[in-house]
Amino acid sequence: MKEFIEEKIQEIKATVGSEKAVSALSGGVDSSACTVLAHRAIGDNLKTIFIDDGLMREKEPEDVSKIFSDLGIKVDIVDAQEEFFLALKGKIDPEEKRKAFRNIFYTVFGREVLKSEAKFLVQGTIAADIIETQGGVKTQHNILEQIGIDPEKGYGFKVVEPIKELFKHQVREVAKSLDLPEMIHQRMPFPGPGFATRVIGEVTPERVSIVRKATRIVEEGIASLKPFQAFAVLMSDKGTGIESGQRKFGDVIIIRSVESKDAMTAEPTQIPWETLMNISKRITGELPEVVRVAYEITPKPPATIEYI
Ligand code: XMP
């Protein structure tokens, strides 16, 4: 691990030289490990940016910037929520949503890279992202060069990907060796496009707010089981429920929880019935829009982990 870290620090130094670089930090284990590697390599020539795209979990920008400021790394938060919702407006098709996200993501970063007079964007692409995008499973938001998109031509920067040979469990080891707190190195994966992958149909601030609250309830309810990944998904179809003795056609939330090592394959978590019932009761109790909750039990394959 120490050797790998030293090698990557030297590689980043050699690539970036005396230029500046921007790190795209999301607070997940991948981008956190890359940010620390790049900071150790080029120090103040690294600017770390967290884009608040409105698609993150509760309190994410504040929590992430606090963790990194404790590590001596300053994080600039850029509020781009309106731009992201505008880019996703009216989009229903999963791949169209993913591509719209990718485009606005790199447009916003391109602007920030230009403002910082940086030439490089450091990002936490990992092996599974590349394999699945190249294999045609789905368009992961952070894959450009590997599928023939030139980031310099398209967005004005070169991409540095220090951990692109690693799988998730290996990144966790790197993050631990880099002294990142357990809250980061053992964190559940969260996809770059955030709740855009967990709202089926159109992504609006109102619909994201429902899935965000449901996700917190799922994460809290299931925490003691330490699943690989657990979350809520908001369906586009509705279902009939009852409110104050009256029929109500409301939202449907799916609970998804999986066990996996590298996210390439996954098995549904065997959640105790009582835990599931408690989560379900909390979701319908705390979210008046939701009338139905279901637990999904499909492995990957044939399903993928995320819904789009
Ligand atoms: P799937 O849904 O393909 O997910 O089975 C495999 C793992 O990748 C995460 N995921 C993403 N991560 N950008 C990311 O950074 C993306 O576009 C993306 N799509 C899926 C997913 O959460 C799971 O851990």
Side-chain angles (χ1 to χ4, degrees), residues 20-303:
K20 290 185 178 142
V22 164
S23 176
L25 177 67
S26 72
V29 60
D30 309 339
S31 67
S32 296
C34 282
T35 300
V36 177
L37 281 173
H39 189 255
R40 289 203 187 164
I42 60 169
D44 287 348
N45 276 346
L46 182 78
K47 185 170 180 183
T48 300
I49 294 183
F50 178 100
I51 302 277
D52 185 358
D53 55 15
L55 302 165
M56 304 270 180
R57 283 171 286 192
E58 276 177 7
K59 297 210 289 87
E60 195 81 5
E62 300 86 329
D63 288 353
V64 172
S65 83
K66 164 88 177 60
I67 289 169
F68 277 81
S69 97
D70 290 349
L71 291 170
I73 301 176
K74 182 177 169 288
V75 178
D76 288 325
I77 297 174
V78 174
D79 183 353
Q81 299 186 44
E82 267 183 40
E83 278 176 278
F84 276 80
F85 282 115
L86 194 65
L88 291 163
K89 198 172 165 44
K91 303 222 165 30
I92 289 169
D93 177 75
E95 280 292 286
E96 218 185 293
K97 276 159 69 172
R98 283 181 166 273
K99 285 176 184 161
F101 179 90
R102 181 178 67 196
N103 195 35
I104 187 67
F105 180 83
Y106 286 109
T107 302
V108 172
F109 265 115
R111 200 167 63 214
E112 294 304 317
V113 171
L114 204 72
K115 266 199 233 160
S116 324
E117 297 177 340
K119 297 258 183 328
F120 297 90
L121 180 72
V122 181
Q123 65 172 13
T125 316
I126 62 171
D129 302 344
I130 299 172
I131 295 168
E132 297 218 321
T133 301
Q134 282 176 335
V137 175
K138 56 182 70 169
T139 306
Q140 296 257 128
H141 80 288
N142 49 0
I143 306 300
L144 298 171
E145 282 166 318
Q146 293 88 349
I147 54 167
I149 299 175
D150 180 346
E152 208 164 13
K153 266 198 207 139
Y155 307 102
F157 52 75
K158 289 191 180 125
V159 169
V160 180
E161 295 171 320
I163 55 167
K164 67 178 177 201
E165 298 100 356
L166 305 186
F167 287 93
K168 192 65 92 185
H169 57 288
Q170 298 166 315
V171 183
R172 293 196 195 286
E173 290 300 310
V174 172
K176 200 170 165 193
S177 299
L178 287 169
D179 298 328
L180 276 156
E182 187 175 342
M183 191 249 168
I184 296 277
H185 67 75
Q186 289 312 317
R187 204 158 196 212
M188 270 186 216
F190 188 72
F195 290 126
T197 67
R198 297 175 181 176
V199 164
I200 311 305
E202 191 178 9
V203 182
T204 63
E206 296 73 28
R207 302 192 74 218
V208 166
S209 159
I210 295 172
V211 84
R212 178 179 287 125
K213 288 178 192 152
T215 295
R216 178 176 41 78
I217 295 171
V218 172
E219 284 188 356
E220 286 172 4
I222 222 165
S224 62
L225 300 177
K226 294 190 187 314
F228 176 80
Q229 206 167 355
F231 51 90
V233 182
L234 177 64
M235 295 286 105
S236 52
D237 281 344
K238 293 188 179 248
T240 300
I242 309 164
E243 191 182 61
S244 315
Q246 296 291 307
R247 176 183 187 277
K248 179 177 170 185
F249 203 45
D251 284 322
V252 181
I253 286 282
I254 303 284
I255 302 168
R256 179 92 165 125
S257 179
V258 294
E259 304 308 321
S260 177
K261 188 174 175 195
D262 54 16
M264 300 287 290
T265 59
E267 288 294 324
T269 308
Q270 297 197 18
I271 307 178
W273 188 248
E274 203 186 333
T275 308
L276 273 175
M277 289 306 287
N278 286 339
I279 294 173
S280 166
K281 277 187 200 140
R282 270 195 71 190
I283 293 176
T284 49
E286 294 175 33
L287 296 169
E289 303 88 345
V290 180
V291 297
R292 279 169 192 248
V293 178
Y295 182 47
E296 205 230 294
I297 53 168
T298 328
K300 171 181 180 175

